[in-house]
Amino acid sequence: MIKEIKAAELNTEQFIREKVEMIRSAVGDGTAINALSGGVDSSVVTMLGHRALGDNLKTYFIQNGLMRESEPESVQELFRKLDVPVKIIDARNEFLSALKGIRDPEEKREAITQTFYKHVFGRLVRESGAKHLLQGTILTDVDETVAGVKRQHNVFEQLGIDPQKEFGYRILEPLIQLRKDGVRKVGSAVGLPPILFDRIPFPGPALAARIIGEVTEERLNTVRKATSIVEKKLRETGAFQYMAILHEDRVTGMVDGKREFGQQIEIRCWDSVDARTATPTQLPFEMLTGLAGEIIGQVPGVVSVTYNIATKPPSTIEAV
Ligand code: XMP
């Protein structure tokens, strides 16, 4: 049973001290690696790991081809300013071929998990000689996986999977007692700029969690473009999380005066504190129509844009 630390009760300085010590004593004078996605959780773990291990932590950004526009370079640059070197690993082909032909949500997550932990990390661990992987699993990830809501791609132990046996390395999870609001507090205390700790959450399976049906390069490009537009336009709302989802069903539309069986983008924008429950943000209608106009004008093939007005539960925040 993991003992939750609620954001309101969190003493960030004490938490940081304890976790830095935990990482140091686990890794000793060996090396550890971690994957930085630029999301809140992995950014905080990177800072804790760097504080604990300095150069003995090797931080990688796995370019899996599922990331948002210019994400690898901008994350690398943000961390360069914090004196944390980040190496970008190009694994685009590996992920795309693992996802080929898969339509089922859980199979998609499993393909990403295996490619990430077994293949890409397995290789990095062998090359670097590291015995530990630092990872930003939080309590919500564990809860939802154990409850069978969604298999979060970074949860193993609670499912009876031993990473040491399965992948050949140990996983350290310094944030596992926290939820998102607590992680943000630690992020601020550990010196991350607000642009990183105040970012909206982004799922481990990245844009693959926002594509219903098969994940292909072309479909990734479509959802990536729509995501950029939605993120830019909805940033000022201060909502908990917002996203674009690419549907599989097509609908009839008109493009240049001709009938086109086109694609559909669904927009979601959530109010939430800790992602366990969420309600749709009451966006002004002009904002929604503005968004629809930009998406249809700038994302080729899209003829329909919808806004999701369901609550979580029974919906979940992501669509896949
Ligand atoms: P759901 O969709 O389950 O999402 O309501 C709850 C929160 O978790 C994020 N999320 C994920 N994060 N791996 C992650 O690291 C995942 O597989 C995953 N699925 C969802 C989601 O963005 C939301 O903030």
Side-chain angles (χ1 to χ4, degrees):
M1 193 53 190
I2 303 162
K3 192 174 172 304
E4 175 171 0
I5 306 176
K6 294 219 159 70
E9 297 151 8
L10 175 67
N11 175 335
T12 50
E13 292 308 321
Q14 184 190 343
F15 181 88
I16 294 167
R17 253 195 327 273
E18 283 174 14
K19 297 306 165 186
V20 163
E21 200 38 56
M22 179 274 268
I23 297 168
R24 265 191 204 140
S25 66
V27 178
D29 49 17
T31 51
I33 63 172
N34 79 311
L36 172 65
S37 66
V40 192
D41 309 336
S42 72
S43 294
V44 173
V45 164
T46 300
M47 293 306 280
L48 290 176
H50 194 70
R51 235 184 231 202
L53 306 172
D55 291 345
N56 285 346
L57 177 74
K58 307 278 175 238
T59 297
Y60 299 102
F61 186 105
I62 311 299
Q63 169 51 299
N64 53 18
L66 314 173
M67 293 297 176
R68 288 170 287 188
E69 231 152 50
S70 23
E71 190 87 4
E73 296 73 23
S74 65
V75 171
Q76 189 182 42
E77 178 56 21
L78 278 166
F79 276 84
R80 198 186 56 75
K81 292 194 183 127
L82 297 166
D83 282 329
V84 179
V86 177
K87 189 166 180 199
I88 298 175
I89 304 290
D90 185 357
R92 280 176 289 191
N93 290 339
E94 252 166 296
F95 279 89
L96 271 182
S97 29
L99 284 163
K100 201 171 161 53
I102 300 181
R103 301 180 57 252
D104 177 79
E106 290 300 311
E107 282 179 31
K108 246 187 234 176
R109 281 165 194 267
E110 185 59 17
I112 292 170
T113 300
Q114 291 296 329
T115 309
F116 204 79
Y117 289 92
K118 200 168 209 154
H119 303 297
V120 177
F121 265 119
R123 196 164 59 235
L124 291 173
V125 163
R126 280 194 300 281
E127 284 169 12
S128 66
K131 294 196 174 55
H132 293 89
L133 168 73
L134 258 62
Q135 147 169 303
T137 324
I138 64 171
L139 199 49
T140 319
D141 300 341
V142 176
D143 284 350
E144 302 217 332
T145 300
V146 172
V149 177
K150 256 178 216 184
R151 163 76 202 274
Q152 305 280 327
H153 84 297
N154 54 359
V155 173
F156 301 105
E157 208 183 296
Q158 293 78 11
L159 294 174
I161 300 169
D162 178 355
Q164 177 72 45
K165 266 203 212 124
E166 194 86 4
F167 313 122
Y169 49 83
R170 291 194 189 289
I171 297 185
L172 300 176
E173 300 172 310
L175 307 182
I176 200 139
Q177 293 167 279
L178 303 180
R179 297 191 188 274
K180 206 57 110 192
D181 43 353
V183 178
R184 290 208 166 104
K185 275 179 83 173
V186 177
S188 167
V190 85
L192 284 177
I195 192 175
L196 280 169
F197 71 75
D198 254 353
R199 282 190 109 179
I200 55 170
F202 190 66
L207 296 176
R210 313 239 168 114
I211 294 179
I212 300 173
E214 190 181 0
V215 178
T216 62
E217 201 163 359
E218 195 185 0
R219 303 193 77 212
L220 277 163
N221 286 337
T222 302
V223 84
R224 189 177 288 121
K225 278 206 188 89
T227 300
S228 294
I229 296 168
V230 169
E231 289 196 354
K232 210 176 289 158
K233 271 205 101 87
L234 296 189
R235 195 168 296 141
E236 68 183 72
T237 63
F240 178 81
Q241 195 170 0
Y242 30 88
M243 64 195 71
I245 293 151
L246 175 60
H247 279 241
E248 196 170 27
D249 284 348
R250 288 180 175 250
V251 288
T252 299
M254 302 261 294
V255 178
D256 299 331
K258 277 206 216 90
R259 186 186 159 94
E260 181 165 316
F261 206 40
Q263 310 208 64
Q264 306 194 65
I265 289 286
E266 173 189 330
I267 299 165
R268 293 184 178 195
C269 181
W270 297 106
D271 291 335
S272 176
V273 173
D274 56 15
R276 281 191 290 182
T277 58
T279 50
T281 308
Q282 296 206 13
L283 296 176
F285 200 71
E286 308 77 69
M287 193 176 241
L288 287 168
T289 49
L291 258 175
E294 279 195 37
I295 291 172
I296 286 170
Q298 293 172 37
V299 189
V302 175
V303 299
S304 160
V305 177
T306 57
Y307 185 56
N308 187 304
I309 49 171
T311 56
K312 172 184 179 175
S315 178
T316 54
I317 287 181
E318 304 287 347
V320 168

